[in-house]
Amino acid sequence: MEPKHNSKKAKMANRKSWKMFFDLQCPYSKKCWLNLPGIRKRFEDEFDISVHLTSLAFHPQAFTAQCAANLIGGMIGKEARERFQDTCFEQQENYMNAALGDARKSDVDAVFASIAENAGVFSNKLTKKIFLEKLHDWEAAVKPAYTEHKEALAYEVYGTPKHVIEEELLQETESAWNADAWARFLKKNGKL
């Protein structure tokens, strides 16, 4: 008989890919993000769920947020990036178009520095000063964000949130679906 931990490990290795695409300024992405912990828990045995960011043209602060997430992920790691993304959605009203209007770039940067601080990602390795200096650095932030954005476009992700399972962009999904609604949809469409 195979030990229980070996069968769990084998099951985890055979999970299907589920890529979720979010825009950090999108209120619909926020709805989906709030359901993500329940979705991950419900489908952890069937799907390897990964989060990808993109930025929609009519969300002017989204690309700066995406650059910040990539900078934090590159310098600190995935967990810090997810904490930052979580805090972005919690504090989304602080950088919506209505809140910032025609703000200067430095004002927008300051909002994301404050969000990063609230997410607890700053340390000796990434201080607020370094964050502000590198937020628009090509190699550290902009290029990785642009690469991630091009990945979204390659999947024809032109809105958010969007979902790609096993390299197929799913159609007719809803941002507010919880794990139960996703289970019904996935079963109906032969993904479970």
Side-chain angles (χ1 to χ4, degrees):
M1 187 166 139
E2 189 176 338
K4 188 175 183 176
H5 70 279
N6 283 344
S7 67
K8 174 82 170 172
K9 190 175 179 180
K11 195 175 201 180
M12 297 297 272
N14 292 321
R15 296 179 299 165
K16 295 177 187 176
S17 167
W18 183 347
K19 296 177 182 179
M20 294 185 170
F21 290 87
F22 296 93
D23 172 312
L24 291 170
Q25 194 178 345
C26 174
Y28 299 105
S29 286
K30 180 179 180 175
K31 286 181 183 181
C32 184
W33 182 266
L34 294 174
N35 285 316
L36 183 57
I39 294 167
R40 278 187 164 149
K41 185 176 181 177
R42 173 81 175 262
F43 300 110
E44 68 183 343
D45 291 339
E46 292 88 11
F47 294 98
D48 177 18
I49 297 173
S50 57
V51 170
H52 306 263
L53 297 179
T54 190
S55 47
L56 304 177
F58 48 87
H59 291 151
Q61 283 68 253
F63 190 71
T64 302
Q66 188 178 353
C67 288
N70 277 279
L71 175 64
I72 291 164
M75 292 189 71
I76 307 295
K78 183 180 176 182
E79 282 184 28
R81 176 182 162 140
E82 289 222 355
R83 278 197 325 271
F84 173 76
Q85 291 167 173
D86 196 42
T87 307
C88 278
F89 282 124
E90 287 173 9
Q91 299 180 13
Q92 192 181 64
E93 69 282 349
N94 294 340
Y95 57 93
M96 294 299 278
N97 296 350
L100 290 177
D102 199 16
R104 293 180 312 219
K105 187 174 172 180
S106 60
D107 294 333
V108 174
D109 294 353
V111 168
F112 288 110
S114 175
I115 290 170
E117 190 169 41
N118 291 337
V121 301
F122 291 148
S123 65
N124 290 338
K125 188 173 183 179
L126 180 63
T127 63
K128 187 174 185 176
K129 182 177 188 259
I130 294 170
F131 175 87
L132 289 168
E133 288 170 358
K134 291 190 174 276
L135 182 56
H136 300 287
D137 179 84
W138 175 254
E139 291 297 328
V142 177
K143 185 178 177 182
Y146 182 53
T147 300
E148 193 174 32
H149 179 71
K150 289 189 297 184
E151 178 189 16
L153 295 178
Y155 285 113
E156 299 181 358
V157 171
Y158 303 127
T160 56
K162 293 292 182 186
H163 306 269
V164 174
I165 293 183
E166 294 292 286
E167 303 301 308
E168 178 188 345
L169 178 64
L170 302 180
Q171 303 297 323
E172 307 296 322
T173 63
E174 292 291 331
S175 57
W177 284 352
N178 62 16
D180 292 336
W182 271 106
R184 288 189 296 275
F185 176 83
L186 294 169
K187 193 169 189 173
K188 177 182 171 189
N189 288 281
K191 302 296 182 188
L192 269 181

